[in-house]
């Protein structure tokens, strides 16, 4: 029993960042990575879509290069997510078993919010939450920002925009994110963080939340 507990403690933690576009995920992921490494933990950063062939198809669609239906997008994200979990080289199971923490930029919450707004919500939910190859994270940090603030940030920092980056869509997606969080709050650790504050304030709150699962 003690050996089993020791092995369980040695596993890494899966930390997911979510939020509408422009919420500051990239900045906060970088800060958390540095902090955990300074504390002596090993960290692997990743994102969805992945660098797989399926991930490439998704990036082309998100960039408006290839037009795909919401159903196609939802299915492709599930395929990419299964690869993300099971890839024997750098999949979640492989990395976590080595005692390395994973910080992932977007996960199935994004599918439930983005594609859940545009195709059969129950189908998207079932594909993701009932798939045996898709792992539940140890914590999800949701950086909350209003669509208006998001568009202001995107306008200041982007040369190009993705297909979801307009205020009407972001409003629907944020509302859907809030519904997803409410639905899953009793079964998953999801923490909503106010992303309209200073970078330092946000980081300190995130660091405290993540410390609770390490």
């Amino acid at each position: 029993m003690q050996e089993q507990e020791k092995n369980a403690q040695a596993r890494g933690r899966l930390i997911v960042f979510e939020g509408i576009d422009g919420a500051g995920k990239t900045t906060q992921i970088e800060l958390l990575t540095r902090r955990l490494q300074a504390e002596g933990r090993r960290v692997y950063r990743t994102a969805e879509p992945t660098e797989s062939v399926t991930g490439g198809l998704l990036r082309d669609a998100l960039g408006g290069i290839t037009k795909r239906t919401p159903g196609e997008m939802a299915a492709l994200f599930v395929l990419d997510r299964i690869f993300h979990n099971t890839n024997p080289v750098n999949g979640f199971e492989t990395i976590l078993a080595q005692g390395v923490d994973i910080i992932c930029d977007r996960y199935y919450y994004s599918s439930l919010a983005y594609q859940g707004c545009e195709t059969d919500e129950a189908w998207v939910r079932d594909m993701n939450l009932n798939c045996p190859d898709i792992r539940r994270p140890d914590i999800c940090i949701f950086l909350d920002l209003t669509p208006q603030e998001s568009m202001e940030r995107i306008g200041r920092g982007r040369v190009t925009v993705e297909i979801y980056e307009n205020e009407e869509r972001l409003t629907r997606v944020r509302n859907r994110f809030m519904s997803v969080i409410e639905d899953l709050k009793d079964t998953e650790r999801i923490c909503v963080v106010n992303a309209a504050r200073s970078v330092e304030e946000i980081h300190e709150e995130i660091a405290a939340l993540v410390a609770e699962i390490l």
Side-chain angles (χ1 to χ4, degrees), residues 19-39:
I20 62 175
D21 301 275
K25 296 190 303 333
T26 301
T27 298
Q28 292 302 328
I29 287 172
E30 177 63 28
L31 290 173
L32 181 61
T33 299
R34 292 178 189 173
R35 187 168 189 140
L36 293 179
Q37 289 174 335
E39 294 172 356

Side-chain angles (χ1 to χ4, degrees), residues 50-51 85 134:
T50 70
E51 296 299 319
N85 274 267
I134 296 179

Side-chain angles (χ1 to χ4, degrees), residues 109-138:
Y109 309 94
S110 283
S111 286
L112 299 181
Y114 284 87
Q115 284 77 56
C117 282
E118 298 182 335
T119 188
D120 189 286
E121 175 189 332
W123 175 64
V124 177
R125 180 187 177 97
D126 184 61
M127 280 197 300
N128 284 276
L129 299 186
N130 292 326
C131 177
D133 289 324
I134 296 179
R135 181 185 183 88
R136 300 291 180 100
D138 293 287

Side-chain angles (χ1 to χ4, degrees), residues 116-203:
C117 282
E118 298 182 335
T119 188
D120 189 286
E121 175 189 332
W123 175 64
V124 177
R125 180 187 177 97
D126 184 61
M127 280 197 300
N128 284 276
L129 299 186
N130 292 326
C131 177
D133 289 324
I134 296 179
R135 181 185 183 88
R136 300 291 180 100
D138 293 287
I139 187 170
C140 172
I141 303 293
F142 180 78
L143 296 177
D144 189 29
L145 199 67
T146 68
Q148 295 78 15
E149 291 168 322
S150 171
M151 290 304 299
E152 287 177 10
R153 291 186 182 182
I154 291 170
R156 292 196 303 266
R158 302 278 186 87
V159 176
T160 60
V161 298
E162 292 186 346
I163 59 174
Y164 293 106
E165 294 177 339
N166 64 71
E167 190 170 326
E168 180 184 354
R169 273 187 168 183
L170 289 177
T171 298
R172 286 191 287 117
V173 168
R174 180 178 179 270
N175 290 340
R176 182 68 199 131
F177 261 125
M178 291 301 157
S179 178
V180 169
I181 291 169
E182 179 66 23
D183 289 344
L184 298 179
K185 68 179 183 180
D186 294 331
T187 57
E188 299 192 23
R189 182 187 287 261
I190 308 174
C191 302
V192 178
V193 174
N194 178 4
R197 299 170 297 162
S198 72
V199 169
E200 294 75 17
E201 287 178 303
I202 299 167
H203 170 61

